[in-house]
Amino acid sequence: MTGSMLLADLSLIVPELILAVGAMALLLAGVFIKGEETAARLVSLASMGLLVLCAGVAVFLAPQGGGTAFYGAFVLDSFSLYAKAVVYLAAAIALVLAGHYLRTERLARFEFPVLILLATLGMSVMVSAGDLIALYLGLELQSLALYILAAFNRDSLRASEAGLKYFVLGALSSGLLLYGASLVYGFAGSTEFGAIALAAENPSVGLIFGLVFVVSGLAFKISAAPFHMWTPDVYEGAPTPVAAFFATAPKLAAMVLLIRVLMEPFGAMADQWQQITIILAILSMGIGALGALLQTNIKRLMAYSSIGNMGYALVGLSAASEAAVWAVLLYMTLYVIGVAGAFGVILSMRRAEGMVERIEDLAGLSKSRPGLALAFTGLLLSIGGMPFLVGFFGKLFVFYAAVQAGLVWLVVLAGIFSTVSIAYYLMILKRVWFDEPTGGEFLNPPASVAVITRVTGIATVGLLLLVPFMLTRVIEAGSAIGG
């Protein structure tokens, strides 16, 4: 590789370079800053600045046309740039939500924002992967940071258990993915997506088996059933800001990676993988909807909600069309906004004696915190896809893509499960608006959390005005992948 080629390649990975160098620099800076809490606060602020800067760079690079780097291992196109901008902003929001919680729970350590940066770096590589090796490097960089974040509260038995479960099951999923990748390499003769796409035009049995294992490994990362077992326990056991992070940026990045893998190297095998995504979608929607009805812990309920919502995204992806790509991208963007705000409300569930997580503890929230209750109502109903809220359009376009592909029966089934899911959101809202308070009043949430909660709550209605603009952006991004 000549110097000019190297410079050209490096110019395409500017956000990744900023994150990598920034994470290492902040790790060193945190060691020398006096005072643990001061170091945590300064490193966290710098990390937020880096993430916002990277989002700006991604937006700036979008009109430049993109390209490939490192012999096709890294792909920069409108699809990856859109995903990166959303991932960076979601990670920054997670850091904003985490600040007060970590200080109150005496978990404020500078390693936390550094781990967020490293996980985000992994996601950034994932969404631009053009090669199975680059895919695995990004996925594992993200995963290793997330394992540590899940067990960040070392003094909590629940957090340690969550981290261990996530690590063990994550190692299993990595094994599935690697085995699938080795089969794909063996039968396609290459790890590069373009070469795999040529082999997929006339697939062998071995290539089909490799595809199944690769999809199984990636299904774990989006917590699609039946690879969802880790999700409720990890959401419940991990610190609440960590659960908020898990539910937003990594979900979006993993779904974007799944879209790229299925639509680019395996696009010619759509008839094969459609059967897998349809089964995953049905199982995820069913287990998510029915499992959530039985929960008493709000974080576990959000875990089952995320499982169900990944099912709806897979309904759209099963269409295997260009419309499917932009519809899922829009759906995931709106889902991230709603979930970030919902976790802001969960982080506001603090009384004098500490954090509470039971759904019954939300009783009477409308009487003590009417603004918070109103925002929570809009956020939950938007996540559930209630008409006249922005989340409804996410589901509408996902279902539109599936109907366009002739999957009407799957959309009808998704509609039934969606109706069931509204039931558990209404169960929470019944507590919020009609039940009498069962404990002391919630303390005033920190300003940062309150702002995120209210802004996202308003966005569930306000973004209706921006849906045409968002549609233009996601259709443009989706056209880089479309089948």
Side-chain angles (χ1 to χ4, degrees), residues 4-55:
S4 59
M5 285 177 63
L6 180 60
L7 285 175
D9 286 352
L10 291 178
S11 69
L12 295 178
I13 61 167
V14 173
E16 288 76 16
L17 289 174
I18 292 172
L19 287 175
V21 175
M24 294 301 100
L26 291 175
L27 187 61
L28 288 172
V31 174
F32 293 104
I33 297 173
K34 292 182 179 179
E36 193 173 66
E37 194 167 309
T38 303
R41 187 176 71 254
L42 292 177
V43 172
S44 187
L45 287 171
S47 299
M48 291 178 212
L50 285 176
L51 289 165
V52 172
L53 173 63
C54 287

Side-chain angles (χ1 to χ4, degrees), residues 203-412:
S204 62
V205 175
L207 191 61
I208 294 170
F209 270 99
L211 167 64
V212 171
F213 280 104
V214 168
V215 172
S216 297
L218 294 178
F220 176 91
K221 301 303 179 184
I222 61 170
S223 60
F227 305 98
H228 68 287
M229 299 80 67
W230 61 276
T231 316
D233 291 337
V234 171
Y235 275 43
E236 182 183 15
T240 305
V242 174
F245 182 57
F246 283 2
T248 51
K251 281 281 195 300
L252 175 71
M255 183 59 75
V256 166
L257 176 61
L258 182 62
I259 292 171
R260 187 181 288 281
V261 167
L262 293 181
M263 296 298 292
E264 284 193 339
F266 297 109
M269 295 170 62
D271 289 344
Q272 307 289 340
W273 58 255
Q274 258 184 327
Q275 302 169 51
I276 304 171
T277 54
I278 287 172
I279 292 170
L280 291 175
I282 294 170
L283 289 174
S284 298
M285 291 186 295
I287 290 173
L290 300 176
L293 289 172
L294 305 174
Q295 302 308 311
T296 57
N297 181 289
I298 186 69
K299 287 163 69 177
R300 288 186 71 89
L301 185 142
M302 292 303 295
Y304 279 101
S305 169
S306 78
I307 294 166
N309 278 285
M310 292 308 102
Y312 301 122
L314 288 169
V315 168
L317 182 55
S318 297
S321 63
E322 185 175 322
V325 175
W326 62 255
V328 174
L329 206 52
L330 177 64
Y331 179 82
M332 291 302 300
T333 304
L334 299 177
Y335 171 76
V336 164
I337 293 170
V339 170
F343 269 99
V345 175
I346 295 169
L347 282 163
S348 303
M349 292 171 60
R350 180 180 293 278
R351 294 189 173 126
E353 61 271 19
M355 292 290 297
V356 290
E357 297 176 358
R358 295 177 304 168
I359 293 173
E360 63 187 50
D361 291 318
L362 286 164
L365 180 65
S366 61
K367 298 177 177 62
S368 58
R369 295 283 181 271
L372 196 64
L374 191 60
F376 198 32
T377 301
L379 289 162
L380 288 183
L381 294 179
S382 179
I383 295 170
M386 187 67 81
F388 309 115
L389 295 172
V390 74
F392 167 74
F393 289 95
K395 277 189 180 173
L396 177 67
F397 289 119
V398 160
F399 292 169
Y400 161 77
V403 168
Q404 204 177 42
L407 298 173
V408 178
W409 66 271
L410 184 59
V411 171
V412 171

Side-chain angles (χ1 to χ4, degrees), residues 126-147:
M126 282 164 55
V127 301
S128 282
D131 181 283
L132 290 175
I133 296 174
L135 178 158
Y136 186 72
L137 286 174
L139 202 61
E140 285 306 295
L141 177 56
Q142 174 211 245
S143 298
L144 290 171
L146 295 184
Y147 298 151

Side-chain angles (χ1 to χ4, degrees), residues 175-197:
L176 291 173
L177 181 65
L178 279 176
Y179 183 60
S182 66
L183 285 173
V184 170
Y185 172 66
F187 286 93
S190 175
T191 58
E192 198 265 321
F193 284 177
I196 296 170

